[in-house]
Amino acid sequence: AAGVGPAATTAVNGSAFEQASLLSLPAQVAEAAEEVFANAAEATSSAPARWIYLASTFRFCAGFAILVWLPAAIRTQFPGDIESFAIYNSLIKAVAGSLSSLAGGIAADMLRARGLGDKAGALFCAASAVLAAPLWYFTLDSSLSFEGSMGFLLAEYLVAEAWLGPAIASLQGAVPAERRGSAQGVFSALTSLGNVLPAALGLLAPTDLREGLQISVTICYGLSAACFVGAAASFPQDKPQTEL
């Protein structure tokens, strides 16, 4: 019988290597998934971090509900001002929302620079939500004119969007330094839960949408404020974050 040539031997060895790699792939995937879940569990292990995650979920629900359903609510309340609303809403989001976010980030840096620590950042977020709640409620108040409604919406954006920077800063102070990336990943993943409220509001009848949006977002702001207060209370002490 003819002997097995080098090419055939190489092909057999290559095939065996590929089979071994395929057999080990499920184990590698399982190991990687286990490591991801372990990191996420550690990133959510502290009480302040859990409070911040919960508070942020309520804030995402409020923000996404406004983003999705405010145009429909305004169309119901002010059917003759839809074009004007499109302009006002775009300007308010672009200008007031951006200024508020920038101010929140600056506030987070100032709080940390003055040694006020993570507790102050959480309380800042709570204050933002407390102020935003009544402003939002009056935005959709049925007794207001269109101009008055847009005025309250402007004020609501100015105070509501300042929460993100201090929240992230406090979150990073609530988890171990080596798990801050995982904590940021968990925080970002919470945006998916923010779609729960918009989806629920979509089940309402058109005549009930304005009131449902008005009340549910106000409640979310209140719950978020309470959770941020819980986060502040659960921090062991105020201390500046050590830079890496």
Side-chain angles (χ1 to χ4, degrees), residues 22-243:
L22 289 174
L23 290 174
S24 65
L25 185 60
Q28 294 173 1
V29 172
E31 183 179 352
E34 183 178 355
E35 183 177 358
V36 169
F37 285 118
N39 291 344
E42 191 170 352
T44 60
S45 61
S46 72
R50 291 194 295 269
W51 278 116
I52 292 172
Y53 290 136
L54 185 58
S56 300
T57 300
F58 287 124
R59 286 305 297 265
F60 287 137
C61 283
F64 290 170
I66 293 173
L67 182 66
V68 173
W69 292 113
L70 179 58
I74 293 296
R75 185 180 296 109
T76 300
Q77 189 168 352
F78 305 106
D81 295 299
I82 299 303
E83 293 183 0
S84 297
F85 168 74
I87 297 173
Y88 281 121
N89 190 42
S90 297
L91 290 175
I92 288 172
K93 289 193 292 186
V95 179
S98 298
L99 288 175
S100 181
S101 296
L102 179 61
I106 294 173
D109 290 340
M110 291 178 60
L111 291 171
R112 191 162 301 282
R114 296 184 180 184
L116 297 178
D118 304 306
K119 181 178 294 187
L123 290 175
F124 180 94
C125 296
S128 171
V130 167
L131 291 173
L135 292 172
W136 167 254
Y137 185 87
F138 285 112
T139 295
L140 293 180
D141 186 66
S142 58
S143 64
L144 286 178
S145 65
F146 173 73
E147 289 74 16
S149 176
M150 293 300 98
F152 275 107
L153 182 63
L154 171 63
E156 189 267 345
Y157 263 89
L158 285 172
V159 300
E161 299 304 311
W163 75 282
L164 191 58
I168 293 176
S170 295
L171 175 62
Q172 294 193 346
V175 299
E178 65 275 11
R179 291 293 174 260
R180 287 172 186 163
S182 299
Q184 182 65 50
V186 173
F187 184 87
S188 299
L190 292 176
T191 57
S192 62
L193 296 179
N195 292 296
V196 171
L197 180 56
L201 289 172
L203 301 176
L204 296 178
T207 53
D208 298 328
L209 178 60
R210 183 197 62 80
E211 186 176 3
L213 179 63
Q214 179 187 36
I215 294 174
S216 62
V217 170
T218 302
I219 291 173
C220 281
Y221 278 139
L223 292 174
S224 179
C227 291
F228 275 122
V229 170
S234 61
F235 275 108
Q237 60 183 355
D238 282 333
K239 60 181 180 180
Q241 181 179 341
T242 302
E243 295 185 358

